[in-house]
Amino acid sequence: MNILEAWKSKIIFGFYNHAAFAAPEAENGGFSVRLFANGTVLYQTYSLNAKCEPTIKESDRAVLSDGTVSRITRALAGYSKEIDALPEYTNNGSYDGTFYDFVFCGKYVSSINIQRTDLSEVMRENPDYYEKYRFDIADENTILDIFTRIAESMLEDGIRLYLNHLYVGENKIF
């Protein structure tokens, strides 16, 4: 079960970090962040049960200011065409590592080992890889552009969201 799939129609932004390879009863099942239109941010950490399904370890909430929610909403609106064009899954050739699942205004997108990539550098240094994955690389760069804008907006209200970490105030959540 994917945490964000169940919530994608109720949130304006969501993020879920979880391992691509899961072991039963793993203590580290990742973390998620969900932003609702009223400014409530629900964040949770997970462990995995015997069936490798996420179970909530910790759960808490924070509230973003109206100004922050407005900046995030405007950023998402500014990327609406790009968001609509994103595929449900990107493929950069990775098969294990970390999944990064995103929801942008109801649009679900999943990536594995996402990273910002310079397309011109890849074209120069690895033309075969470039030909095979150039569209996915471009989509991943767009995803990271949107994610970065949202994370930068949240900073003003004390939430530091990164691909692999989350801090709320001075507390490291994950």
Side-chain angles (χ1 to χ4, degrees):
M1 177 181 111
N2 186 298
I3 304 302
L4 293 182
E5 270 292 327
W7 285 84
K8 71 180 181 180
S9 65
K10 297 176 176 86
I11 57 178
I12 59 174
F13 167 71
F15 176 68
Y16 180 31
N17 164 314
H18 57 105
F21 176 77
E25 299 180 357
E27 207 39 46
N28 177 357
F31 75 99
S32 71
V33 173
R34 285 166 268 175
L35 170 61
F36 296 84
N38 67 359
T40 299
V41 176
L42 178 63
Y43 52 93
Q44 297 175 314
T45 60
Y46 305 94
S47 58
L48 301 178
N49 64 20
K51 295 179 180 180
C52 291
E53 298 167 331
T55 56
I56 297 170
K57 260 181 21 181
E58 295 179 45
S59 181
D60 208 345
R61 64 187 62 227
V63 178
L64 297 179
S65 68
D66 290 342
T68 299
V69 174
S70 178
R71 277 188 293 287
I72 291 170
T73 303
R74 284 193 317 269
L76 289 167
Y79 281 103
S80 64
K81 288 180 184 175
E82 291 87 346
I83 290 169
D84 287 344
L86 289 171
E88 189 169 349
Y89 300 99
T90 64
N91 176 12
N92 61 19
S94 294
Y95 294 103
D96 63 6
T98 303
F99 273 109
Y100 302 97
D101 298 333
F102 304 85
V103 170
F104 304 119
C105 295
K107 175 75 175 212
Y108 172 83
V109 183
S110 183
S111 299
I112 189 167
N113 298 327
I114 194 171
Q115 64 182 4
R116 188 168 306 284
T117 305
D118 182 335
L119 276 168
S120 60
E121 183 179 315
V122 172
M123 186 171 58
R124 225 179 17 261
E125 294 179 8
N126 193 342
D128 291 339
Y129 183 85
Y130 172 82
E131 281 304 315
K132 187 169 185 177
Y133 298 109
R134 66 183 169 164
F135 297 112
D136 291 288
I137 291 169
D139 289 335
E140 288 183 355
N141 285 343
T142 298
I143 292 165
L144 290 173
D145 289 344
I146 300 166
F147 177 83
T148 300
R149 292 276 306 272
I150 292 168
E152 287 172 349
S153 294
M154 289 180 162
L155 276 172
E156 292 183 27
D157 290 330
I159 296 176
R160 292 179 288 154
L161 175 61
Y162 305 97
L163 287 175
N164 295 306
H165 302 289
L166 172 65
Y167 296 84
V168 177
E170 296 302 314
N171 299 322
K172 182 175 183 180
I173 307 304
F174 190 88

